[in-house]
Amino acid sequence: MEELPHDSLFLGFDSSTQSLKATVLDSNLNLVTSEVVHFDSQLPHYKTKEGVYRDASDNGRIVSPTLMWVEALDLVLQKLSKSNLDFGKIAAISGSGQQHGSVYWKNGSSAILSSLDPSKPLVDQLGDAFSTKESPIWMDSSTTEQCREIEKAVGGALELSRLTGSCAHERYTGPQIRKIFLKQPEIYNQTERISLVSSFMASLLIGSYACIDETDGAGMNLMDIKQRAWSKIALEATAPILEEKLGKLAPAHAVAGFIAPYFVERFHFNKNCLIVQWSGDNPNSLAGLTLSTPGDLAISLGTSDTVFGITKDPQPRLEGHVFPNPVDTEGYMVMLCYKNGSLTREVVRNRCAKESWEVFNEFLEKTPPLNGGKIGFYYKDHEILPPLPVGFHRYILQGFTGENLDGINECEVEEFDPSSEVRAVIEGQFLSMRGHAERFGMPSPPKRIIATGGASANHSILKSIASIFGCDVYTVQRPDSASLGAALRAAHGWLCNKSGKFMPISFLYKDKLENTSLSCKLAASAADKPLVSKYGLLMKKRMEIEKHLVQKLGRA
């Protein structure tokens, strides 16, 4: 069996909403170093807030400046260089990009990309390479009209979901492209290539247009998930000559190309360093968490919150998403996505807990599980699941003890006391996750949950997850599973390329997972069964209230 070359290094990036992270693993899959560039604080001249621009004049339009991502790449490599990392030892690079975001390369830009001058920063050379300098991202919710048009053209929402893995979602790239084609045709006509954030960053590294990979490509409403090829009917429903602008698809383990001469000369990379296809952030997290058992679930707690698992037999529905598994050529990953994650928890923390996570956790610990029947819905931004607009909604279930729901009525209130508010924002999110995960056919209770993302470092939150889902919760050594997964996928792509065929990713860490940076440990034990049952009743009531809210206020 092929092995990773001794003394070689593998670099993984994560180009997320608020930062660009880099993680380096050695040939034993142990962490060597990591660096991060925070967009708001370290690239302040772009004037982003939380990495984005919110457009007050166009309801729900949220974009990021494309050049900020370009400048961040140069900056994070400079930081790695100052840490005395030997770039010459890096055998392969891969990456993770926030899913669904898109970049529009102007006609003639491939020539600029292939002739970059290593004496100048990237940002100084790519200023005129894009037909729009603002990239629509996953937080955008301005394309409801385009979503309905695409669904209608393919025979309805469920038909689109069966074909592409998801019904039409505002953040998905297909509806975003259609909006640009209809509202700004001059931008569409000036565009020679449309990249996802993942394939865009890979393109910078190889000095030519990289393919979109099949896993991230499933987050566009444009790809046939069974065939892993562009769907003609979906393309035609979206915009003309679109396939030409998208280029080819490639498996996530494939090599996109060798590193561009720009990086060899500017940072002294080895010219034989491979760039393995980048993919989306959630697929990379799946790889970084070594999720390989169908009974396991992962919960990622970041700017967005996601729940995902794996299956061989996906059943796409009207909610949730199906993507090809990035590290298994025959399997799939299933996912639920919530837009209101860490930023919404921070709103409650700032208002109720003196802007302190310590106070927030004290409040969470001192309030009893079930919160005395208090249920909250907290949407700082338009929510994806359920499709509800901005707003906070609070209810008290009068007389609720958790024994049954007979005669229990909900009463809407203006506010909770601070400690109840804290528990409501936490319990509310995980009750919703459990309810939708069960409805989507995910295991209940799961065999275990692996938690990742920034908030997975918060033990009080992990205890709530264990109580609500009724299973043990594990954490990985590092909460940045997307960049870690990207570094692991770089090693996996190197191995597949060297072997001349696809190799299971488990070959990399077989019998030695506990001795790598990928190992995980028990962080919170499952609650007793009676409490899990009581949470089941609270969840049922929450799902009822949610259904009424969607009927009354829903965007879709």
Side-chain angles (χ1 to χ4, degrees):
M1 190 189 89
E2 295 288 351
E3 289 200 349
L4 301 178
H6 177 68
D7 212 27
S8 60
L9 301 175
F10 299 90
L11 170 57
F13 289 105
D14 175 28
S15 183
S16 68
T17 317
Q18 301 188 64
S19 63
L20 176 63
K21 299 185 190 82
T23 298
V24 182
L25 296 178
D26 64 16
S27 56
N28 293 315
L29 307 182
N30 282 310
L31 182 74
V32 175
T33 189
S34 64
E35 286 291 351
V36 63
V37 172
H38 295 284
F39 300 146
D40 289 3
S41 58
Q42 291 171 279
L43 295 168
H45 44 286
Y46 290 99
K47 297 184 168 62
T48 55
K49 187 171 183 222
E50 294 152 353
V52 305
Y53 300 144
R54 287 177 164 83
D55 188 340
S57 67
D58 185 350
N59 186 31
R61 181 174 181 265
I62 299 180
V63 296
S64 288
T66 311
L67 282 169
M68 180 175 74
W69 300 333
V70 174
E71 191 168 351
L73 180 59
D74 245 338
L75 188 53
V76 82
L77 288 171
Q78 286 169 32
K79 286 179 138 199
L80 285 170
S81 184
K82 284 175 187 164
S83 73
N84 295 320
L85 178 69
D86 184 349
F87 287 116
K89 289 184 177 177
I90 295 174
I93 300 171
S94 191
S96 147
Q98 52 170 299
Q99 288 197 262
H100 320 301
S102 47
V103 173
Y104 299 80
W105 294 92
K106 193 190 285 185
N107 293 330
S109 292
S110 60
I112 302 173
L113 196 52
S114 63
S115 55
L116 295 168
D117 180 349
S119 69
K120 297 175 184 168
L122 286 171
V123 72
D124 292 353
Q125 303 178 69
L126 292 168
D128 200 34
F130 310 110
S131 43
T132 173
K133 292 186 179 181
E134 294 182 335
S135 287
I137 66 153
W138 67 272
M139 295 172 80
D140 187 285
S141 59
S142 68
T143 62
T144 308
E145 189 184 330
Q146 289 74 35
C147 288
R148 301 295 83 82
E149 290 166 353
I150 291 168
E151 286 176 344
K152 187 178 178 187
V154 302
L158 189 57
E159 189 54 41
L160 183 66
S161 184
R162 286 173 179 149
L163 179 65
T164 70
S166 304
C167 62
H169 287 274
E170 284 93 344
R171 70 190 189 280
Y172 267 46
T173 326
Q176 293 291 340
I177 292 169
R178 180 162 178 77
K179 183 185 171 191
I180 285 176
F181 163 65
L182 292 172
K183 305 279 173 86
Q184 298 169 292
E186 69 288 351
I187 288 174
Y188 188 78
N189 294 332
Q190 286 167 16
T191 298
E192 70 179 15
R193 176 60 63 107
I194 299 171
S195 295
L196 294 179
V197 177
S198 54
S199 63
F200 167 66
M201 299 297 283
S203 300
L204 297 178
L205 289 168
I206 64 174
S208 63
Y209 294 142
C211 296
I212 290 171
D213 81 285
E214 292 165 357
T215 300
D216 214 10
M220 301 174 78
N221 286 136
L222 293 173
M223 190 188 87
D224 182 324
I225 54 161
K226 293 280 165 55
Q227 303 298 323
R228 303 192 184 207
W230 296 124
S231 159
K232 299 285 185 219
I233 185 172
L235 291 171
E236 285 166 12
T238 303
I241 57 165
L242 182 51
E243 188 168 3
E244 196 179 296
K245 294 181 192 284
L246 293 172
K248 291 186 166 64
L249 287 156
H253 67 272
V255 171
F258 289 108
I259 196 163
Y262 174 88
F263 297 96
V264 175
E265 293 180 42
R266 189 170 172 87
F267 294 102
H268 311 294
F269 280 92
N270 186 311
K271 65 177 175 29
N272 295 318
C273 173
L274 298 178
I275 308 301
V276 175
Q277 285 287 152
W278 284 45
S279 191
D281 48 7
N282 295 300
N284 275 282
S285 284
L286 181 136
L289 298 172
T290 64
L291 204 67
S292 54
T293 308
D296 290 349
L297 282 186
I299 293 181
S300 175
L301 302 168
T303 309
S304 65
D305 287 345
T306 52
V307 186
F308 49 92
I310 58 171
T311 181
K312 291 284 186 194
D313 180 32
Q315 303 292 330
R317 293 174 170 82
L318 288 176
E319 63 183 35
H321 314 288
V322 176
F323 305 106
N325 186 326
V327 291
D328 176 355
T329 52
E330 293 173 5
Y332 293 84
M333 66 179 286
V334 288
M335 187 176 89
L336 304 171
C337 184
Y338 293 81
K339 190 187 287 189
N340 288 271
S342 60
L343 301 180
T344 302
R345 286 186 283 275
E346 282 172 23
V347 167
V348 173
R349 178 203 68 179
N350 293 347
R351 212 184 59 229
C352 299
K354 302 176 184 170
E355 302 187 10
S356 159
W357 285 119
E358 204 176 316
V359 175
F360 184 97
N361 291 343
E362 278 173 23
F363 284 172
L364 187 55
E365 295 285 352
K366 82 176 189 183
T367 45
L370 308 171
N371 209 12
K374 298 185 185 82
I375 294 179
F377 296 77
Y378 299 87
Y379 306 126
K380 174 184 183 286
D381 288 299
H382 290 306
E383 186 48 85
I384 296 160
L385 188 63
L388 284 170
V390 173
F392 288 11
H393 312 276
R394 301 170 184 85
Y395 300 87
I396 297 176
L397 304 187
Q398 293 167 326
F400 179 74
T401 61
E403 301 308 320
N404 58 58
L405 291 174
D406 296 343
I408 299 292
N409 295 310
E410 70 271 10
C411 170
E412 188 163 8
V413 296
E414 277 299 306
E415 59 180 18
F416 294 147
D417 62 274
S419 53
S420 297
E421 189 89 289
V422 164
R423 181 163 280 277
V425 76
I426 295 301
E427 286 192 342
Q429 186 77 317
F430 300 122
L431 286 167
S432 176
M433 284 182 183
R434 179 179 160 185
H436 286 285
E438 288 182 8
R439 206 153 82 180
F440 196 50
M442 291 178 173
S444 176
K447 286 183 183 170
R448 64 173 180 166
I449 286 172
I450 306 175
T452 183
S456 66
N458 186 320
H459 186 251
S460 301
I461 290 177
L462 299 182
K463 277 169 63 180
S464 287
I465 297 175
S467 297
I468 288 168
F469 277 87
C471 67
D472 293 344
V473 175
Y474 289 75
T475 54
V476 280
Q477 289 180 32
R478 300 182 58 79
D480 47 354
S481 57
S483 60
L484 187 71
L488 181 66
R489 286 186 48 257
H492 181 231
W494 186 95
L495 185 71
C496 294
N497 185 64
K498 182 77 173 164
S499 308
K501 62 180 181 183
F502 177 81
M503 303 283 285
I505 196 167
S506 57
F507 277 35
L508 288 172
Y509 46 76
K510 206 170 185 180
D511 304 324
K512 62 175 186 181
L513 191 59
E514 291 309 308
N515 300 320
T516 73
S517 288
L518 305 163
S519 62
C520 57
K521 65 178 193 299
L522 180 65
S525 298
D528 56 39
K529 283 188 176 167
L531 179 58
V532 177
S533 299
K534 288 176 182 180
Y535 270 124
L537 286 174
L538 193 61
M539 173 196 78
K540 188 178 174 188
K541 193 66 186 173
R542 183 191 166 86
M543 296 295 276
E544 277 177 27
I545 298 170
E546 180 188 288
K547 185 179 176 184
H548 293 315
L549 281 171
V550 171
Q551 287 168 350
K552 183 175 153 191
L553 307 168
R555 298 188 341 269

